[in-house]
Amino acid sequence: MDRVKIDLTPVQGTMLATLYARALDSRTPHPILGDRTAEEVVDRIDYDWRRTGTRAPWDAAMLALRARQLDRWTGEFLSAHPRATVLHLACGLDTRVHRLAPEPSVRWLDVDYPEVVDLRRRLLPPPAGDYRMLGASVTDEDWLEQAPADRPVVAIFEGLTMYLHEEQLRQLIQRICGRFPSGQLLFDCFSKRLVRWSRAWGRMGGSLREVTQSWHWGLDDPRELEGWHAGLSYVDDLYVVDQPDLDRLPTAARLGLWLTARVPGGHDSGRVLRYRFQTLP
Ligand SMILES: C[S@@+](CC[C@H](N)C(=O)[O-])C[C@H]1O[C@@H](n2cnc3c(N)ncnc32)[C@H](O)[C@@H]1O
């Protein structure tokens, strides 16, 4: 079978790094996610994977840990709301819907740029159930109208917030909270310092220049977002280096995470967050 060639913008192409990380994790003796489909998809793409910059064992571990935590929170939400809508934004080639295999009562919408959705169609098996893909920029105003507003929603966006300007993210969150009766937002973010330092490093010609120049938004105080919409409240968060069962990781990955947690700014550099919202009377 011919391997698929890639023609994406630098920001769209970042989903290759997360895909490759999940494939690398899957190849370890004790995978965190065990995403075999990611491995198969990597083999079907004609690409020099070294360009992703994902090489070290802790890169794969950190990205897999982040994905696993978002899977867990999504699973908890769907257990409590079996007739929910899932908005999986900036889905890339992530197999979250395959990993979670939701009940047929769940409505699932995977959203990313049209070019990325086109690749998804070509490379990933169609999941069972009430599933749709939508090609759009999440910063556009009208795509959300294609998601019926009749159910509680869980909106998951992994690896997206850093690529948005604050005003774009604020409007996105306000549109979601304004449309659905209640729900949760599950996402990851970088610290303000990591965004600032990475941009400066990129300007000096550092690695992954094009990607880091596209990073705009970071967060230090999760309560900041509560001011963005009445009814939006912070539930909890978890730094990636504080995730449970790190002791099960291979030694190199454990060491990398241990060091990350101890360099200045390292511990707080990346985390996953959970918010809830409801329409106030
Ligand atoms: C780092 S990748 C993460 C992909 C996926 N969530 C994962 O974990 O594998 C970032 C993704 O965000 C998508 N993205 C960035 N800005 C977007 C926008 N404005 N609208 C839709 N997708 C966007 C990119 O196309 C890319 O697929």
Side-chain angles (χ1 to χ4, degrees):
M1 193 187 304
D2 279 351
R3 292 164 83 214
V4 172
K5 293 211 181 307
I6 295 290
D7 183 16
L8 299 171
T9 67
V11 170
Q12 292 168 351
T14 58
M15 58 104 187
L16 296 171
T18 43
L19 171 74
Y20 189 49
R22 289 190 296 275
L24 290 180
D25 168 61
S26 173
R27 287 176 196 157
T28 61
H30 303 287
I32 297 164
L33 272 186
D35 190 344
R36 293 291 310 278
T37 310
E39 265 190 85
E40 288 160 20
V41 173
V42 161
D43 288 341
R44 288 195 52 206
I45 297 178
D46 184 7
Y47 189 71
D48 175 3
W49 295 95
R50 285 170 302 188
R51 287 176 55 195
T52 62
T54 308
R55 252 163 268 158
W58 49 89
D59 286 336
M62 283 179 79
L63 290 164
L65 286 166
R66 177 176 96 174
R68 185 185 65 177
Q69 187 57 38
L70 292 170
D71 280 2
R72 284 182 176 165
W73 280 342
T74 307
E76 282 174 28
F77 186 88
L78 294 180
S79 298
H81 304 90
R83 281 182 48 79
T85 293
V86 178
L87 292 182
H88 186 208
L89 311 183
C91 56
L93 289 173
D94 189 9
T95 56
R96 176 157 286 122
V97 65
H98 303 82
R99 294 196 298 271
L100 291 177
E103 295 294 323
S105 56
V106 170
R107 177 191 293 139
W108 188 295
L109 197 59
D110 268 339
V111 186
D112 206 305
Y113 286 114
E115 297 82 349
V116 176
V117 164
D118 183 48
L119 270 178
R120 255 192 107 79
R121 284 210 172 87
R122 293 165 66 191
L123 287 166
L124 284 173
D130 186 354
Y131 175 79
R132 276 171 58 206
M133 285 179 266
L134 183 60
S137 169
V138 296
T139 58
D140 290 348
E141 277 189 22
D142 47 357
W143 67 270
L144 197 53
E145 284 160 23
Q146 298 188 49
D150 54 340
R151 301 181 184 181
V153 72
V154 57
I156 314 140
F157 31 110
E158 179 176 5
L160 172 70
T161 58
M162 52 296 286
Y163 298 104
L164 300 182
H165 291 274
E166 176 157 314
E167 194 48 31
Q168 293 175 320
L169 181 63
R170 183 202 302 261
Q171 286 180 10
L172 172 65
I173 288 180
Q174 288 172 341
R175 279 201 292 271
I176 295 170
C177 296
R179 180 163 177 81
F180 297 91
S182 63
Q184 288 190 356
L185 310 176
L186 312 177
F187 59 94
D188 65 303
C189 73
F190 293 156
S191 67
K192 289 181 199 278
R193 177 153 61 173
L194 180 65
V195 171
R196 209 169 45 241
W197 284 4
S198 304
R199 286 178 63 86
W201 167 244
R203 275 196 300 276
M204 290 188 304
S207 54
L208 299 179
R209 186 178 187 287
E210 278 176 318
V211 172
T212 52
Q213 291 312 292
S214 310
W215 288 358
H216 303 293
W217 189 77
L219 179 74
D220 294 332
D221 175 8
R223 299 244 173 231
E224 234 180 70
L225 268 62
E226 292 185 330
W228 288 9
H229 193 272
L232 179 65
S233 48
Y234 158 75
V235 178
D236 52 5
D237 67 337
L238 191 59
Y239 289 106
V240 174
V241 291
D242 286 342
Q243 299 250 357
D245 359 309
L246 294 188
D247 50 328
R248 288 183 43 219
L249 298 180
T251 312
R254 226 169 43 227
L255 185 65
L257 291 175
W258 187 88
L259 286 172
T260 303
R262 277 154 191 86
V263 297
H267 177 269
D268 300 356
S269 57
R271 60 177 142 181
V272 283
L273 300 119
R274 173 158 61 168
Y275 290 80
R276 77 162 75 88
F277 72 90
Q278 57 186 8
T279 311
L280 295 180

